[in-house]
């Protein structure tokens, strides 16, 4: 006789089917809500990349590979190597990634969250599970794009097409997915933490007002996103592993599993090596969380007819995001 499944497991399975259906609906354009979320995610992710997102990514990637450099030293090296433009190395492939992964995240994440909440799961738990599901869904499009960005930042060749031709000729499609396990682990824990911690902070803020259904102001949404973004950096060793695995592939070194890479980094640089590049990573996480969690919540509330309440709150100078 089969044992009954826990409610959370059943809800998660139902959510995965729902999120996949909604993602397909968004792509083929059969559901307005899913389609609008896909567009929202694409626009928000792209704006994030074109502003401070890419500079933080370049800075973080360099520190993850050159683990003897200090935070300031790495920043100066990038600046001296090509000025401000050097902080936007690999923007082309990053924009391709942004045009897809932001939409994938919002559609999958929201579908899972809505399904879990409908099954009676708390907002915080739904945020962690929904974020993890959305993060894993991003891995398919992120693998090749992060590989190309890493190549542009760490490699000598500065032609995206040249890197693509060389990789395809030597290893085919799989050559664009070194560090795939690290990316999946990073994305699942990234967005589980970003969404989950942000939802936890939002819940606490609402409780402090004595009204769990209260709409948060822009000021409060921003601070929830900042706190959630910083707290989500606990998984930084996965990012160091991802950078190291992709850098090894670019230099032609034998492929090594994620656990082996983490052990090697720890043996060479200690615990500090596993958290090298944490400061720019915090910048990346806060920036992305402000756009794709807090910003997405604000856009959603506006679309649901709460524009007046939000704008009234934001009109007060003390409610602007710091």
């Amino acid at each position: 006789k089969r044992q009954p499944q826990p409610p959370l497991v059943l809800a998660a399975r139902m959510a995965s089917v729902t999120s996949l259906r909604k993602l397909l609906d968004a792509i083929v354009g059969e559901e307005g809500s899913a389609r609008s979320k896909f567009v929202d995610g694409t626009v928000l992710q792209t704006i994030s990349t074109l502003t401070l997102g890419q500079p933080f990514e370049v800075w973080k990637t360099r520190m993850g590979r050159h683990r003897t450099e200090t935070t300031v030293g790495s920043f100066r090296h990038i600046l001296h190597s090509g000025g401000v433009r050097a902080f936007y190395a690999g923007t082309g492939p990053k924009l391709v990634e942004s045009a897809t992964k932001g939409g994938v995240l919002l559609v999958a994440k929201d579908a899972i969250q809505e399904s879990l909440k409908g099954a009676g799961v708390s907002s915080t738990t739904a945020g962690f599970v929904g974020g993890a599901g959305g993060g894993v869904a991003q891995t398919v499009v992120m693998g090749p794009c992060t590989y190309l960005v890493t190549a542009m930042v760490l490699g000598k060749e500065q032609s995206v097409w040249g890197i693509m031709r060389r990789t395809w000729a030597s290893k085919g499609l799989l050559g664009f997915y070194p560090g795939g396990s690290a990316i999946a682990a990073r994305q699942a824990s990234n967005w589980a933490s970003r969404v989950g911690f942000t939802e936890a902070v939002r819940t606490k803020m609402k409780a402090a007002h004595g009204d769990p259904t209260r709409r948060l102001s822009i000021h409060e949404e921003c601070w929830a996103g900042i706190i959630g973004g910083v707290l989500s950096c606990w998984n930084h060793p996965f990012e160091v592993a991802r950078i190291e695995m992709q850098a090894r592939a670019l230099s032609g070194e034998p492929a090594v599993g994620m656990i082996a890479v983490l052990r090697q980094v720890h043996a060479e640089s200690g615990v500090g090596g596993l958290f090298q590049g944490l400061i720019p990573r915090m910048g990346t996480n806060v920036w992305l969380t402000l756009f794709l969690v807090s910003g997405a919540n604000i856009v959603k509330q506006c679309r649901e007819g709460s524009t007046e309440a939000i704008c009234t709150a934001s009109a007060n100078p003390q409610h602007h995001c710091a």
Side-chain angles (χ1 to χ4, degrees):
K1 186 177 180 180
R2 295 180 63 183
Q3 294 293 323
Q5 294 290 324
L8 186 58
V9 173
L10 290 174
R13 288 183 175 179
M14 177 180 67
S16 64
V17 174
T18 304
S19 62
L20 178 60
R21 177 180 58 80
K22 289 198 173 186
L23 182 57
L24 292 174
D25 286 342
I27 294 172
V28 300
E30 293 180 359
E31 184 177 318
S33 176
R35 186 166 61 250
S36 64
K37 288 175 183 177
F38 193 89
V39 173
D40 289 345
T42 297
V43 172
L44 290 169
Q45 179 80 54
T46 301
I47 295 173
S48 170
T49 297
L50 288 174
T51 48
L52 293 179
Q54 188 63 8
F56 279 130
E57 181 72 23
V58 170
W59 190 6
K60 172 191 67 176
T61 299
R62 179 173 179 82
M63 290 192 69
R65 178 58 168 170
H66 301 282
R67 291 185 292 277
T68 59
E69 293 184 353
T70 65
T71 302
V72 176
S74 179
F75 182 91
R76 287 176 175 169
H77 187 282
I78 297 169
L79 188 63
H80 292 161
S81 67
V84 175
R85 289 186 61 183
F87 284 96
Y88 287 89
T91 298
K94 191 67 176 179
L95 285 177
V96 174
E97 174 190 297
S98 299
T100 50
K101 78 169 187 176
V104 168
L105 173 74
L106 285 197
V107 174
K109 170 182 73 70
D110 285 357
I112 294 172
Q113 280 185 282
E114 290 166 8
S115 296
L116 291 174
K117 288 178 182 178
V121 177
S122 69
S123 295
T124 299
T125 302
F128 277 107
V129 178
V136 171
Q138 289 182 321
T139 304
V140 176
V141 296
M142 284 191 66
C145 295
T146 57
Y147 170 77
L148 291 172
V149 171
T150 301
M152 295 288 287
V153 174
L154 301 179
K156 295 180 180 180
E157 186 173 353
Q158 293 299 302
S159 167
V160 174
W161 293 111
I163 297 169
M164 291 177 65
R165 283 195 296 268
R166 178 165 52 83
T167 302
W168 181 267
S170 61
K171 298 181 180 178
L173 182 62
L174 291 178
F176 292 93
Y177 285 90
S181 58
I183 295 173
R186 183 195 70 171
Q187 288 309 105
S189 53
N190 262 357
W191 288 108
S193 301
R194 289 169 184 166
V195 180
F197 285 134
T198 300
E199 283 298 323
V201 174
R202 294 179 78 242
T203 300
K204 292 292 185 182
M205 287 180 172
K206 292 178 181 181
H209 288 290
D211 182 5
T213 63
R214 181 183 182 274
R215 298 287 188 182
L216 297 180
S217 67
I218 291 179
H219 171 83
E220 291 168 324
E221 289 284 6
C222 286
W223 277 112
I226 290 170
I227 295 170
V230 171
L231 291 177
S232 67
C233 291
W234 66 269
N235 68 345
H236 192 65
F238 291 143
E239 177 67 348
V240 173
R242 188 273 303 175
I243 294 169
E244 182 67 21
M245 291 169 79
Q246 291 183 336
R248 284 169 175 267
L250 287 167
S251 60
E253 298 177 39
V256 180
M258 182 179 69
I259 301 300
V261 168
L262 289 172
R263 286 174 177 167
Q264 183 175 340
V265 172
H266 182 268
E268 293 175 352
S269 309
V271 175
L274 297 174
F275 288 90
Q276 182 73 354
L278 183 61
I279 298 301
R281 174 80 188 290
M282 285 183 177
T284 298
N285 279 16
V286 167
W287 201 243
L288 276 172
T289 306
L290 283 173
F291 275 89
L292 288 169
V293 182
S294 300
N297 285 334
I298 293 170
V299 171
K300 182 179 179 181
Q301 290 176 19
C302 289
R303 191 166 275 131
E304 290 176 349
S306 303
T307 311
E308 183 178 351
I310 295 174
C311 291
T312 299
S314 63
N316 189 332
Q318 69 177 7
H319 285 152
H320 284 293
C321 179

